[in-house]
Amino acid sequence: MINKITAKNLSIGYGEKVIIKNADFEVKNNDIFIIMGASGCGKSTMLKVLTGLIPPLKGKFYINGTDYVDADEQTKLNIMKKVGVLYQSGGLFSSMTLAENVALPLQKYSTYSKKTIDELVSLKLALVGLDGFNDYYPSQISGGMKKRAGLARALALDPEIVYFDEPSAGLDPLSSARLDELMQDINQNLKTTLVVVTHELSSIFAIGTNSVFLDAKTKTVQAKGNPAQLLKNPPNEEVYNFLTRGKHHEKRAE
């Protein structure tokens, strides 16, 4: 089976500034793949590269086996139609209802009738626990609900991959845990591959099946694999410190 995403010798940054160099990693089909590391390590920049917002400085990445970097614009568009993104703030348009927000990608990139789009919008909102909130505006709902509405929009076109940028940011622990559960449900029931940028340990261990650890000091990938296994057998002190977050009184796993 083709990996959903494969990065080869990937360097990212801005202009002369290299943030991460020569990264190699694989996001397998149906992974909940965590991009983790301390502030300033390049997590958000990596996400911008993988979603096509900025080009890499060097190297390649493949989505479903297709070279995205050297693809023509039409091919890139076709690839990104199979990708959804949940932005850190939810990214909803404040002047539009939740239904209108979710309908937008369907109106732009599908040939469905208005009736079918309305039905799909209601289905996606129900999927994320917002049944009956179609006509609400973002200002009328809580932060956690905004994230779920943003997720409904990300799922509008039935993507194979969904990217999450710090999904727990700004949420209380209960709302964060509910969002983690929803992400797991989508991963398991819809067989959607999730790529999640986060530094939240509770989420990393609750949902992560695979991961990459970006290190700001060396500007390299310092670890790859299941986060729980990395905690048991950390490859170095940087990874251990990040995954224990100062709880150094605990005995280090052998």
Side-chain angles (χ1 to χ4, degrees):
M1 182 178 289
I2 294 174
N3 291 320
K4 303 307 287 185
I5 304 168
T6 302
K8 292 186 176 180
N9 201 33
L10 194 65
S11 295
I12 63 171
Y14 302 92
E16 302 275 317
K17 182 177 175 59
V18 177
I19 298 176
I20 292 291
K21 58 189 179 183
N22 305 325
D24 292 287
F25 58 85
E26 296 175 347
V27 180
K28 297 180 175 63
N29 188 51
N30 215 35
D31 265 346
I32 299 182
F33 188 91
I34 308 293
I35 300 175
M36 60 184 181
S39 295
C41 70
K43 300 187 297 293
S44 293
T45 304
M46 182 66 77
L47 194 67
K48 287 177 181 176
V49 169
L50 295 178
T51 54
L53 290 176
I54 61 172
L57 300 179
K58 188 181 73 170
K60 304 268 192 183
F61 69 94
Y62 301 80
I63 297 181
N64 289 332
T66 300
D67 176 359
Y68 185 86
V69 176
D70 289 335
D72 59 54
E73 290 306 312
Q74 187 58 52
T75 300
K76 288 181 178 179
L77 179 60
N78 292 339
I79 290 171
M80 285 302 160
K81 284 181 183 177
K82 298 177 181 177
V83 168
V85 182
L86 177 60
Y87 299 98
Q88 190 173 139
S89 64
L92 299 172
F93 293 101
S94 60
S95 61
M96 301 167 70
T97 65
L98 302 191
E100 289 169 341
N101 268 280
V102 178
L104 197 59
L106 290 162
Q107 292 164 347
K108 189 170 178 61
Y109 296 115
S110 82
T111 56
Y112 294 132
S113 67
K114 183 182 184 305
K115 182 175 183 291
T116 300
I117 288 176
D118 289 345
E119 290 171 352
L120 287 170
V121 166
S122 292
L123 179 67
K124 301 302 180 184
L125 285 170
L127 181 67
V128 299
L130 291 174
D131 187 23
F133 284 87
N134 299 44
D135 296 329
Y136 281 65
Y137 286 88
S139 62
Q140 296 174 307
I141 59 176
S142 69
M145 293 168 78
K146 287 177 186 175
K147 292 285 179 83
R148 285 187 276 141
L151 181 53
R153 186 179 60 188
L155 295 170
L157 293 169
D158 296 320
E160 297 177 16
I161 304 167
V162 178
Y163 294 99
F164 295 77
D165 184 14
E166 297 283 4
S168 299
L171 299 184
D172 61 83
L174 184 58
S175 295
S176 179
R178 284 175 175 166
L179 185 59
D180 284 345
E181 290 173 5
L182 178 57
M183 291 162 65
Q184 286 180 303
D185 287 344
I186 288 166
N187 170 254
Q188 293 165 10
N189 296 329
L190 302 183
K191 306 303 178 188
T192 307
T193 300
L194 310 184
V195 178
V196 186
V197 166
T198 186
H199 65 277
E200 295 285 347
L201 287 183
S202 57
S203 292
I204 288 170
F205 291 121
I207 67 175
T209 63
N210 197 358
S211 71
V212 63
F213 179 85
L214 308 182
D215 179 54
K217 290 181 182 176
T218 61
K219 299 182 179 179
T220 61
V221 170
Q222 286 284 297
K224 293 179 276 190
N226 182 289
Q229 292 302 315
L230 291 177
L231 178 60
K232 287 182 180 178
N233 297 289
N236 57 44
E237 205 68 23
E238 290 293 330
V239 175
Y240 174 68
N241 289 343
F242 178 82
L243 292 175
T244 57
R245 227 44 85 75
K247 297 177 181 177
H248 303 300
H249 58 278
E250 294 179 4
K251 186 178 184 293
R252 178 167 174 165
E254 296 298 330

